[in-house]
Amino acid sequence: MCGIAGIYHFHDQQPSEHLIRSMMDLIHHRGPDDAKLWIGDRVGLGFRRLSIIDVAEGAQPLSNEDDSVWIIFNGEIYNYLELREDLLSRGHQFKTNTDTECILHLYEEYGTKCVNHLRGMFGFAIWDRNKQELFLARDHFGIKPLYYYMNDEMLVFGSEIKSILAVPGVARQVNMNGFYNYLTFQYVPDPETMYAGIYKLPPAHSMTIPLGEQPVIEKYWDPMFEPVDRPLTQVLDEIRHVMRDSVEHHLHSEVQRGCFLSSGIDSTITSTLMRSIEPIKTFSVGFEGPNDETIIARDTARQIDTDHYDRIITQEMYFDAVPRAIWHLDEPVADPSAIALYEVARLAKEHVTVVLSGEGADELFGGYRIYREPHSLRYLSWMPEGMQRVVNKMVRAVPFSFYGKNYLLRGTTPLEERFLGNANIMTDDAKAELLRVSADEIAAYQKPFEIAGRYYDRTRHLDPVSRMQYIDMNLWMPGDILMKADKLTMAHSLELRVPFLDRKVFDVARTIPASYRIAEKTTKYALRKAMEGIIPDSVLHRPKLGFPVPMRDWLRTERAGIMWEELAASGIDPLVNLSAVEEMFTRHRNGQGDYSRKIWVLYVFGLWYRTYMRKQ
């Protein structure tokens, strides 16, 4: 696990060594063990290392035998030992025992198709000196980040946006289209960022920049669900086998490792399977009150016999961490649980360098409660589409609320017009009242359902549950779940590994029928059944909690006044109608509604704006 940064000049000019070092210094936290760079031709490659595999010889940038191909690589390749054996049999010569060198030789063997052979998480850049060609790639699920900026003179790229901002000429300007959609999604969907001109390379995409030609961005893999009818017993056997295999592959390292352990099934599966292989340390955090996850996690740790550590996050600790977390995130991600992740990573780093975690299980196996909605709306599914629209229009016209009104509205609204993923914070109408922009400007922004529409268009052949999972796989998971997972663990120089997000695991999950994913009034049914007798019974059917941050209650205390003062002083008033925001605070404190999610989205944006837009 490391950090990369680089510059490619389109014309015959060498990058500045001082500038590359400045980019590297800003991501010291990603790789405190070593820092090296290489400059040649018109490219400069910088690397910060967190030593995990081949600690003695694994320095980067790394070249092949004749220095004709160079690489900087952030991530881990879990099938690299198998790849290495195959490449050796094909005559390739290795000088290290690293997974990095495997990618180099795969590139020599297969060119840009090398990504198809990789099982792992990665963001890397390869410079081919013979072709004078730069090749960038990001892993299948988007576990590792890769950002870029391009103008007529150069391409700048890196693991974090802050490195790109260090380059002269890169302007700090809010991407208003990104901001508009952030207010709905609570993150900026790929490929945009909150910065005008800076982009994310989306998951499962590569970029090739041939000499003298325009960059070519290609999608090399698609996480499409294709359910296959087969006996449930067969599905359960497949899940058990592939999860054990994935956890085993994710354990390869030369440093101490542990596992996050919450009250839920996903981290318990990961911890239990890991514990069946070796003694481990587990880590959890919680908040004071009735939903303190550490109590449950501590009991689970006792049952599976781990060396367990936990910590209670107070309100003061939480808000002290917010500015640091926002700096590490680079762009606003308004998920309140992000701070809990930041704190559990800080706890884990006191004991280990690598942690496994349960991200991805919900998206692959159908774990969110919202996925049960198609089943609950089945009583209205008999209506023809035309009748549904008529009923929907009639119900909307009723000026008062009545029992079942929301059910009728959702049941007569097509899935493509009601589901955007796990967050849907503000409507377009609410944003029109909040933003200080003209109606013409708002009309020009790409709307949230237009963004989701490109994924809905690909899944017309699938059942509603699979379509919802596909939306989350492409939007929510890389935009929120994996963004914060990478940035807030690397903030503490801690490598996070996610065995659910493994190509072989997905090959099983994608074929599970929807009736096995959502069944018997529960979610992740097949996964739960597969783990019977493996994980403690007390965890198997426990409802999903996530990190239950008590933000709603905190915003009815003196903390709300502090947050409002910080937001009012953040400098966002040219973009946002602050009087409308102040009204949200007042109504929330007076018990006139729950505005906690909307307030948090704006608060996080305000602190980000103060951190990155006002320091130029």
Side-chain angles (χ1 to χ4, degrees), residues 286-349:
F287 297 91
E288 294 174 314
N291 292 321
D292 177 9
E293 284 202 88
T294 62
I295 298 172
I296 301 171
R298 199 176 305 141
D299 179 64
T300 302
R302 178 188 57 77
Q303 294 185 65
I304 64 175
D305 189 26
T306 72
D307 183 10
H308 188 67
Y309 302 83
D310 57 43
R311 182 172 292 164
I312 294 296
I313 302 172
T314 65
Q315 183 186 137
E316 184 177 2
M317 287 172 58
Y318 184 95
F319 283 94
D320 282 349
V322 170
R324 297 193 298 274
I326 287 173
W327 184 84
H328 281 287
L329 284 166
D330 277 337
E331 55 179 332
V333 178
D335 188 334
S337 69
I339 307 305
L341 178 58
Y342 179 86
E343 288 297 332
V344 74
R346 183 162 69 94
L347 171 63
K349 182 58 181 179

Side-chain angles (χ1 to χ4, degrees), residues 143-161:
I143 304 168
K144 304 312 300 175
L146 189 54
Y147 300 93
Y148 67 93
Y149 164 88
M150 183 170 58
N151 60 23
D152 292 339
E153 302 294 326
M154 62 184 173
L155 176 86
V156 186
F157 61 91
S159 298
E160 298 194 9
I161 293 174

Side-chain angles (χ1 to χ4, degrees), residues 206-221:
S206 64
M207 176 191 287
T208 306
I209 305 101
L211 181 63
E213 299 180 26
Q214 289 296 310
V216 177
I217 297 178
E218 294 181 308
K219 185 178 181 70
Y220 63 82
W221 182 78

Side-chain angles (χ1 to χ4, degrees), residues 179 183 426 430-437 563-587 598-599 601-607 609 614:
F179 179 40
L183 292 173
M426 293 192 193
K431 285 181 277 189
E433 296 177 3
L434 184 70
L435 298 179
R436 294 189 187 278
V437 293
M563 291 172 66
W564 163 245
E565 290 176 2
E566 290 178 308
L567 189 53
S570 66
I572 66 170
D573 44 306
L575 304 176
V576 176
N577 179 0
L578 287 182
S579 62
V581 181
E582 186 176 22
E583 179 68 14
M584 289 185 195
F585 274 89
T586 301
R587 292 179 67 84
K598 292 181 174 66
I599 289 172
V601 165
L602 292 164
Y603 178 72
V604 169
F605 176 77
L607 294 194
Y609 189 91
R614 298 183 68 182

Side-chain angles (χ1 to χ4, degrees), residues 304-595:
I304 64 175
D305 189 26
T306 72
D307 183 10
H308 188 67
Y309 302 83
D310 57 43
R311 182 172 292 164
I312 294 296
I313 302 172
T314 65
Q315 183 186 137
E316 184 177 2
M317 287 172 58
Y318 184 95
F319 283 94
D320 282 349
V322 170
R324 297 193 298 274
I326 287 173
W327 184 84
H328 281 287
L329 284 166
D330 277 337
E331 55 179 332
V333 178
D335 188 334
S337 69
I339 307 305
L341 178 58
Y342 179 86
E343 288 297 332
V344 74
R346 183 162 69 94
L347 171 63
K349 182 58 181 179
E350 296 171 7
H351 304 275
V352 299
T353 304
V354 172
V355 289
L356 273 62
S357 189
E359 279 84 356
D362 292 316
E363 290 79 7
L364 266 66
F365 290 97
Y368 296 117
R369 283 190 290 270
I370 189 65
Y371 296 159
R372 291 192 52 78
E373 184 185 64
H375 179 76
S376 69
L377 297 176
R378 68 191 184 280
Y379 300 109
L380 300 178
S381 63
W382 60 271
M383 288 187 192
E385 183 177 337
M387 182 182 294
Q388 287 189 8
R389 293 196 177 278
V390 170
V391 171
N392 187 276
K393 186 176 181 180
M394 292 172 57
V395 173
R396 288 185 185 278
V398 176
F400 53 85
S401 296
F402 59 86
Y403 181 77
K405 182 177 183 179
N406 185 60
Y407 180 85
L408 286 170
L409 287 174
R410 296 191 69 81
T412 56
T413 301
L415 180 65
E416 301 93 321
E417 297 174 20
R418 71 172 189 265
F419 182 73
L420 288 168
N422 265 278
N424 190 348
I425 308 301
M426 293 192 193
T427 64
D428 291 341
D429 289 342
K431 285 181 277 189
E433 296 177 3
L434 184 70
L435 298 179
R436 294 189 187 278
V437 293
S438 68
D440 289 342
E441 287 176 298
I442 286 181
Y445 296 147
Q446 186 179 29
K447 302 302 184 287
F449 280 104
E450 293 174 8
I451 293 174
R454 60 184 181 239
Y455 302 112
Y456 277 120
D457 288 344
R458 300 174 192 166
T459 58
R460 296 185 186 278
H461 62 291
L462 292 176
D463 61 87
V465 175
S466 297
R467 299 186 82 187
M468 295 168 82
Q469 288 179 248
Y470 187 76
I471 292 292
D472 279 336
M473 288 282 294
N474 284 278
L475 291 173
W476 170 258
M477 192 172 75
D480 184 295
I481 298 295
L482 296 178
M483 159 79 93
K484 69 178 190 280
D486 172 82
K487 298 291 183 61
L488 300 182
T489 53
M490 288 309 301
H492 303 286
S493 306
L494 180 74
E495 173 172 297
L496 181 101
R497 299 181 178 183
V498 282
F500 280 103
L501 293 179
D502 177 87
R503 285 179 61 189
K504 290 186 180 295
V505 175
F506 183 73
D507 284 344
V508 171
R510 69 196 287 265
T511 65
I512 299 174
S515 59
Y516 294 165
R517 284 176 258 147
I518 308 297
E520 296 190 7
K521 299 182 179 181
T522 190
T523 58
K524 287 183 290 202
Y525 176 74
L527 181 63
R528 294 177 193 274
K529 289 290 289 183
M531 292 299 139
E532 287 181 352
I534 297 174
I535 69 171
D537 290 343
S538 59
V539 181
L540 269 174
H541 303 292
R542 181 177 295 124
K544 182 177 180 63
L545 285 178
F547 283 120
V549 182
M551 188 61 65
R552 183 187 309 170
D553 296 333
W554 287 346
L555 279 166
R556 293 195 172 109
T557 69
E558 294 179 357
R559 175 60 60 178
I562 299 172
M563 291 172 66
W564 163 245
E565 290 176 2
E566 290 178 308
L567 189 53
S570 66
I572 66 170
D573 44 306
L575 304 176
V576 176
N577 179 0
L578 287 182
S579 62
V581 181
E582 186 176 22
E583 179 68 14
M584 289 185 195
F585 274 89
T586 301
R587 292 179 67 84
H588 186 89
R589 291 197 70 171
N590 292 342
Q592 296 173 284
D594 181 5
Y595 293 85

Side-chain angles (χ1 to χ4, degrees), residues 52 247-248 250-260 274 277-283 348 351-356 494-495 497:
I52 303 291
V247 169
E248 287 176 3
H250 280 69
L251 290 183
H252 188 79
S253 71
E254 297 176 14
V255 296
Q256 282 193 310
R257 46 193 177 257
C259 194
F260 290 157
M274 188 176 175
I277 298 169
E278 63 184 29
I280 63 168
K281 293 178 170 64
T282 51
F283 310 94
H351 304 275
V352 299
T353 304
V354 172
V355 289
L356 273 62
L494 180 74
E495 173 172 297
R497 299 181 178 183

Side-chain angles (χ1 to χ4, degrees), residues 70-87:
W70 287 81
I71 186 172
I72 46 176
F73 157 60
N74 167 35
E76 303 289 350
I77 306 302
Y78 301 117
N79 62 333
Y80 84 96
L81 292 176
E82 300 100 295
L83 293 172
R84 178 187 172 92
E85 288 302 313
D86 179 66
L87 290 164

Side-chain angles (χ1 to χ4, degrees), residues 58-71:
Q60 299 181 41
L62 184 66
S63 68
N64 62 349
E65 303 95 313
D66 62 2
D67 292 344
S68 62
V69 182
W70 287 81
I71 186 172

